[in-house]
Amino acid sequence: MTARPNQTSKKATVSKTATKTAATQSVETSTTSPAPKKTAAASAAGAATAPTVEKAAPKPSAPVGYVSFVGSGPGDPELLTVRAVELLREAEVVVTEVPSHIELVRTLLGVPAPRVVVDEDGNPVGEEPAGGPEFVDGGFGQDGQPLTHAARAKVVVKQAKSGRRVVRLMAGDPFVYASGPEEAQACVKAGIAFEIVPGVSSVTAVPAYAGIPLTTKNNREMAVVTCSDAKVDWSQYADNRTLVLLSAVNSIADIAKALVDAGRSADTPVSMTRVGTTTEQSTVVSTLDRIAADARAAKMSPPAITVVGDVVDLRGALSWFETKPLFGWRVLVPRTKEQAGSLSSRLRGYGSVPEEVPTISVEPPRNPQQMDKAIRGLVEGRYEWIAFTSVNAVKAVREKFDEYGLDARAFSGLKIAAVGEKTAAAIAAWGLRADLVPGGEQSARGLLEDWPPYDEVLDPINRVFLPRADIATETLVAGLLELGWEVDDVTAYRTVRATPPPAPTREAIKSGKFDAVVFTSSSTVRNLVGIAGKPHASTIIAVIGPATAKTAEEHGLRVDVLAPSPSVEDLVDALADFGASRRAALLEAGQPVTKPSDRRPSARRKAT
């Protein structure tokens, strides 16, 4: 637990003497320096000559405050340290460095953005708080201009004196190329305790993400040089040390010339990487005599890290981030965040930027009586089997159990089937184990292939409880009937079309700003087209199976990627294989590696 005001902290760097307030010191004087003892006679005389004065109790000192200076790393939120995450979850106030810090913290804490409140005419009149910590801008003033180090320190001190848990979130590392030292000194002066939580510094992280090591067995020395706000004597860097240059984008021409004039070879390798560790990262590799022109041609802009030295040559073999098969691709996922968890995580692993757009909304059935009757039948032993075809079906039955005050014991003696591993996992989270999960295709058809036929001798009951969506296909019911089972096909939940996404998202879908879209069912195709329109011709269409592919083609879309088996993992892997092949073909043709959204045919593709 973070030390609070008036608590002893091993991490606090402020001495006890420095943190004493005037009130505390006066209390210590009166309690630790007692007056000399008086004789009985003197006491009596004093009592007769002086009125009795009662001293007021000393007022407790005001909260001194405590600040955690936390490094947010170079850009990738997954590079936050464990300690940083812990402190952000406990924070009451977060003093940010850059605007992106607000979204980073909200995503980490699962806190939505405040809802904009509008008047009758639709004009914004304020925001409805969404919970989470209070955000205070510590990087920019009201006019949008960057604050000086002294001004930033005043913001931090003011918030710390409120007595709340304050996190000062800083880009990179608080003590590397940051105002952390100045702000920490201001805390010392104000008697505020603090701690430093190092962050992954862009000095080392960005070159690593570019595939450039800063030291090797043949390059054992490096120097970090800040190139802004002061002139640098480049003659002292004329040797072969690796140089890491900060804030060098705008002055790279002068720097390169100065290094060559100082004795460095004009052919010395140079790299410049902007917005490193993010999916917008881009790197230019050149030499001292050409870097200025190459950086200008590539439209390099801050923030960027420049590396000078022979280590840059290793990028050709060690580049691992920018060469991911879907690097920088913006991928549309027509599912909710809850449904798309593993899918989006896998997409990010291949370097893409997934964006979830809900196409359906799950709601209770219009008539709950059928579901109520089925649950009573389950408790009374009416069924031999219950078959769950989706995670939503498990959720619907579990909610009914909670409504009736039931628990997993009601499944005693009942056999449980799950259509796939995800559904089986949802059942397991309930403390149950599925008796039947298809060993092959994870679908209704695959479940039927493994489902045993009804046996009058072995099966005391011939009835199956099938809680499903209102739009489920009849494949499973028909197959079970053929196997001799009776089926109670019960609507456990309804799937309705979601509200259309925001206008910018709809425009991005239609204009080809998405590089790919992954369809996990026929309903996602129908609903996405219904609420947002058809994806642009340049957008790569990836589908989970033949039925989904057929639906996509019926809506005028050409399918580019078909998963070899109906699972989201195989779907994402197939899209990554497509991206890798596309990248290899561009390189083989001597063309620059582009994203599908970089090339937009004028005519919409037709289904073939």
Side-chain angles (χ1 to χ4, degrees):
M1 180 63 69
T2 304
R4 297 301 308 278
N6 298 330
Q7 292 180 339
T8 302
S9 171
K10 294 182 179 179
K11 295 181 180 179
T13 59
V14 185
S15 67
K16 292 182 179 179
T17 302
T19 58
K20 292 176 183 176
T21 63
T24 304
Q25 290 172 351
S26 64
V27 171
E28 288 181 349
T29 301
S30 63
T31 57
T32 60
S33 301
K37 294 182 180 180
K38 298 181 180 180
T39 63
S43 298
T49 59
T52 302
V53 179
E54 293 185 0
K55 292 185 178 180
K59 295 182 179 180
S61 60
V64 176
Y66 192 88
V67 178
S68 298
F69 290 94
V70 174
S72 67
D76 183 352
E78 294 188 356
L79 295 181
L80 279 169
T81 65
V82 174
R83 178 61 175 160
V85 172
E86 177 187 0
L87 288 170
L88 287 170
R89 285 176 175 161
E90 296 175 349
E92 296 173 284
V93 178
V94 176
V95 181
T96 62
E97 177 102 317
V98 291
S100 61
H101 277 166
I102 297 178
E103 180 62 25
L104 183 151
V105 175
R106 283 181 177 152
T107 301
L108 174 68
L109 302 181
V111 176
R115 188 175 67 87
V116 177
V117 180
V118 298
D119 58 20
E120 295 179 355
D121 299 325
N123 301 314
V125 295
E127 290 185 345
E128 184 177 285
E134 176 187 347
F135 292 100
V136 176
D137 192 346
F140 300 88
Q142 294 182 350
D143 57 356
Q145 293 298 315
L147 296 176
T148 63
H149 290 184
R152 295 182 180 195
K154 289 181 180 179
V155 172
V156 173
V157 169
K158 178 181 177 181
Q159 295 302 320
K161 286 184 175 180
S162 70
R164 293 180 292 175
R165 291 188 292 270
V166 177
V167 166
R168 171 61 164 123
L169 194 58
M170 311 189 80
D173 182 277
F175 274 17
V176 177
Y177 194 54
S179 61
E182 289 81 358
E183 295 179 28
Q185 290 178 61
C187 287
V188 172
K189 185 177 179 180
I192 296 170
F194 63 88
E195 67 174 303
I196 305 297
V197 181
V200 177
S201 173
S202 60
V203 169
T204 55
V206 172
Y209 268 61
I212 300 172
L214 298 182
T215 59
T216 66
K217 64 180 181 180
N218 296 322
N219 301 273
R220 299 177 181 273
E221 293 186 54
M222 60 167 285
V224 180
V225 185
T226 300
C227 304
S228 62
D229 302 330
K231 290 186 177 181
V232 179
D233 179 10
W234 294 106
S235 63
Q236 61 181 314
Y237 301 111
D239 53 22
N240 292 326
R241 280 180 294 173
T242 299
L243 301 182
V244 180
L245 310 182
L246 309 178
S247 299
V249 175
N250 297 327
S251 57
I252 189 61
D254 294 335
I255 293 171
K257 182 178 183 303
L259 286 172
V260 172
D261 291 344
R264 287 243 182 180
S265 169
D267 294 330
T268 301
V270 181
S271 71
M272 186 178 289
T273 304
R274 68 177 303 274
V275 288
T277 77
T278 74
T279 51
E280 297 179 9
Q281 174 177 311
S282 62
T283 302
V284 169
V285 175
S286 184
T287 56
L288 281 177
D289 62 341
R290 298 198 311 269
I291 184 59
D294 290 344
R296 187 164 52 250
K299 298 181 179 179
M300 278 284 159
S301 60
I305 300 293
T306 303
V307 180
V308 180
D310 293 339
V311 293
V312 173
D313 288 337
L314 292 171
R315 170 177 161 83
L318 300 181
S319 179
W320 62 276
F321 187 54
E322 294 172 53
T323 57
K324 287 189 173 186
L326 302 177
F327 179 75
W329 284 33
R330 187 182 179 190
V331 180
L332 177 64
V333 181
R335 309 181 90 185
T336 63
K337 287 186 181 294
E338 294 77 12
Q339 295 173 319
S342 61
L343 192 156
S344 294
S345 177
R346 203 171 188 89
L347 283 169
R348 278 190 288 269
Y350 283 116
S352 69
V353 184
E355 186 170 326
E356 294 93 355
V357 174
T359 58
I360 63 171
S361 176
V362 177
E363 297 183 2
R366 288 191 176 91
N367 184 0
Q369 294 180 355
Q370 187 185 24
M371 187 68 168
D372 294 339
K373 181 180 178 181
I375 295 297
R376 287 196 299 269
L378 184 151
V379 175
E380 295 168 357
R382 176 180 172 83
Y383 302 107
E384 179 76 7
W385 283 90
I386 181 171
F388 291 106
T389 58
S390 69
V391 173
N392 284 329
V394 178
K395 181 180 178 182
V397 172
R398 191 165 184 175
E399 287 176 349
K400 277 294 179 183
F401 268 48
D402 292 341
E403 182 181 331
Y404 285 119
L406 301 171
D407 57 29
R409 288 174 293 183
F411 284 91
S412 177
L414 188 67
K415 296 177 183 176
I416 303 173
V419 80
E421 294 178 359
K422 295 289 188 301
T423 306
I427 295 170
W430 199 356
L432 301 168
R433 178 188 294 180
D435 300 282
L436 177 61
V437 180
E441 179 180 328
Q442 295 191 12
S443 64
R445 192 180 306 277
L447 188 62
L448 282 173
E449 291 178 357
D450 294 342
W451 197 291
Y454 172 68
D455 189 307
E456 294 183 359
V457 177
L458 299 178
D459 299 311
I461 306 171
N462 70 338
R463 189 171 294 275
V464 177
F465 174 24
L466 185 58
R468 303 194 299 165
D470 57 333
I471 59 172
T473 63
E474 299 300 318
T475 302
L476 185 55
V477 174
L480 290 173
L481 291 175
E482 289 182 5
L483 291 171
W485 296 92
E486 293 185 14
V487 181
D488 281 357
D489 186 10
V490 179
T491 298
Y493 60 95
R494 292 184 300 124
T495 54
V496 299
R497 183 173 291 177
T499 57
T505 302
R506 297 198 303 273
E507 177 61 25
I509 292 172
K510 295 176 182 178
S511 62
K513 293 181 181 178
F514 282 100
D515 298 288
V517 56
V518 289
F519 289 114
T520 56
S521 67
S522 293
S523 62
T524 58
V525 178
R526 290 189 294 266
N527 290 331
L528 180 69
V529 173
I531 65 176
K534 295 180 182 179
H536 190 272
S538 65
T539 305
I540 303 302
I541 306 298
V543 300
I544 201 168
T548 307
K550 181 180 178 181
T551 304
E553 291 168 351
E554 289 173 350
H555 284 77
L557 302 175
R558 189 184 72 198
V559 175
D560 300 289
V561 178
L562 176 64
S565 63
S567 74
V568 294
E569 291 82 7
D570 288 341
L571 173 59
V572 175
D573 292 347
L575 178 61
D577 289 341
F578 177 92
S581 298
R582 182 179 180 277
R583 175 186 174 84
L586 290 171
L587 291 173
E588 186 176 354
Q591 299 177 1
V593 177
T594 58
K595 298 178 294 184
S597 58
D598 294 331
R599 298 181 177 184
R600 301 173 187 169
S602 58
R604 183 177 298 280
R605 296 175 303 186
K606 299 295 183 181
T608 57

